Amino acid sequence: MLIDGTPIDAAMNAERIGLSDLRAAVRRHGSTAFKDVHVVVLETDGTLSVIAQPGDGSTLCDVVGYGQYRKQQNEP
């Protein structure tokens, strides 16, 4: 739903997630700005998980689109 502080409109629209939903998830995580968040993931149970630090991405390997995003970030 969000990568590196930027909401992904297509994903949000497809899942009917609004900016207010993202803001609430980020606040629950204890952050006050999207720019402080690496990703927000819509889990299979409908909850939004907020991940602040990128790390190695091992828990994000099954998130649709994340692998492609990481690959693009690592290209010269």
Side-chain angles (χ1 to χ4, degrees):
M1 301 292 112
L2 176 141
I3 296 179
D4 285 338
T6 303
I8 304 168
D9 293 331
M12 292 172 53
N13 290 339
E15 299 298 335
R16 298 183 180 188
I17 301 291
L19 277 176
S20 59
D21 299 312
L22 286 184
R23 289 185 191 111
V26 169
R27 287 192 304 268
R28 280 192 300 274
H29 182 264
S31 296
T32 59
F34 285 161
K35 69 177 181 65
D36 297 332
V37 175
H38 177 56
V39 295
V40 176
V41 176
L42 178 63
E43 301 291 355
T44 56
D45 66 359
T47 61
L48 293 170
S49 292
V50 177
I51 300 173
Q53 302 296 322
D56 68 1
S58 60
T59 63
L60 300 171
C61 63
D62 58 349
V63 174
V64 174
Y66 185 75
Q68 181 179 355
Y69 166 78
R70 288 288 292 234
K71 186 177 177 181
Q72 289 173 348
Q73 294 303 308
N74 292 327
E75 291 178 353

